[in-house]
Amino acid sequence: VKPETVHEDFDYVFLTSEEPEFFHRETVNKMKLTKVKFVASAKAGQELTKMMVRNLAVLQNGPGGQCYLQSRDKSGAAIGILSAPGAGGMPWERQEQAFVFVNLENGAAVAYEAFGQYLGKGAASSKPGIPEEAYQVDYLITPDLREAAGVASGLAEKGAKLKAVLRLPGEGNPLDEDVNPLTALDRAFGIEDKAEDFQAFLKGESSLAETNLVMLKTDEAFDLNSSA
């Protein structure tokens, strides 16, 4: 993907976090900022505003933030995006947003949070006003299977019927750089970020035994209907 032509190749560019691991300013600056349609988290939106982009939809911190997207030629299904709580349940932790992408044609719902803590660690956020749609998702996208185990289990406890967990390409989670001893202790009793560990975890959970694991590769397209 060439940033110079991203406005021709994609209907929208979605920036989920202002952290440098996800908001690469050098790449964004190469885009034609007057032509790209951006969708962004609240903090990423603040950064884009400073860059004088022309087309920008900002999802305010959830619960509550939402927007609706339609493809340029209206040939594809419209997508609704809801904002929800992400990582950062404690005062010393960085605060992140999570997102739910809903296909408004078939109802398929996809959950994502940049650091893997969708609805907080273990999907156990106590923030008031979280919509029911945030819990009843079909797919979970994650950068870290260690975090995904807790989130999947938490969602299942709330009635979600996860069809698949999709592990993004790449190694390591920026949260690994957190030197807080409580973070290290919390992870000491989890699984490793390995496919075999996670698959064993799924088989051991009756509510997740039918959930598939998909290890995505760079530039790989994935049809969500294929794991239905």
Side-chain angles (χ1 to χ4, degrees):
V1 177
K2 295 182 179 180
E4 294 84 357
T5 60
V6 71
H7 62 285
E8 300 173 353
D9 301 327
F10 300 94
D11 294 320
Y12 300 92
V13 171
F14 189 15
L15 293 170
T16 61
S17 173
E18 87 287 3
E19 296 294 337
E21 300 92 335
F22 308 99
F23 192 132
H24 191 254
R25 284 163 178 76
E26 182 178 337
T27 298
V28 175
N29 277 323
K30 291 180 180 179
M31 299 178 186
K32 293 189 176 181
L33 301 182
T34 59
K35 295 185 177 182
V36 175
K37 292 182 178 180
F38 288 98
V39 181
S41 66
K43 292 181 180 179
Q46 293 175 2
E47 297 302 313
L48 285 170
T49 299
K50 297 175 185 177
M51 301 172 74
M52 305 295 289
V53 302
R54 179 174 294 179
N55 301 298
L56 172 62
V58 177
L59 282 157
Q60 295 304 319
N61 284 318
Q66 59 183 299
C67 70
Y68 299 91
L69 308 180
Q70 180 68 61
S71 61
R72 188 178 299 125
D73 59 5
K74 296 185 178 181
S75 60
I79 300 295
I81 307 178
L82 304 177
S83 180
M90 297 298 178
W92 61 80
E93 297 175 324
R94 69 176 90 187
Q95 305 293 310
E96 289 291 331
Q97 283 178 256
F99 303 94
V100 188
F101 302 85
V102 182
N103 183 314
L104 299 180
E105 185 175 287
N106 61 23
V110 180
Y112 171 77
E113 197 271 351
F115 296 93
Q117 294 185 11
Y118 175 77
L119 296 182
K121 181 168 286 292
S125 174
S126 60
K127 286 189 176 182
I130 298 175
E132 183 64 21
E133 294 89 340
Y135 295 107
Q136 305 307 318
V137 295
D138 302 294
Y139 304 93
L140 173 64
I141 298 178
T142 183
D144 191 326
L145 296 178
R146 297 169 297 180
E147 298 290 357
V151 171
S153 181
L155 290 173
E157 289 178 4
K158 296 174 176 64
K161 304 294 183 183
L162 280 177
K163 296 179 180 179
V165 172
L166 288 75
R167 169 61 161 86
L168 293 172
E171 295 183 5
N173 186 328
L175 288 180
D176 290 337
E177 300 175 6
D178 188 345
V179 296
N180 187 289
L182 294 178
T183 300
L185 179 63
D186 184 58
R187 284 194 163 180
F189 301 98
I191 67 170
E192 293 295 321
D193 186 25
K194 298 178 180 179
E196 54 269 28
D197 282 16
F198 192 76
Q199 288 171 329
F201 160 77
L202 291 176
K203 291 180 180 179
E205 298 285 324
S206 59
S207 57
L208 297 169
E210 300 300 319
T211 301
N212 295 316
L213 171 62
V214 179
M215 300 292 286
L216 293 173
K217 299 178 181 179
T218 303
D219 297 331
E220 178 184 12
F222 179 74
D223 182 0
L224 293 180
N225 292 321
S226 67
S227 61

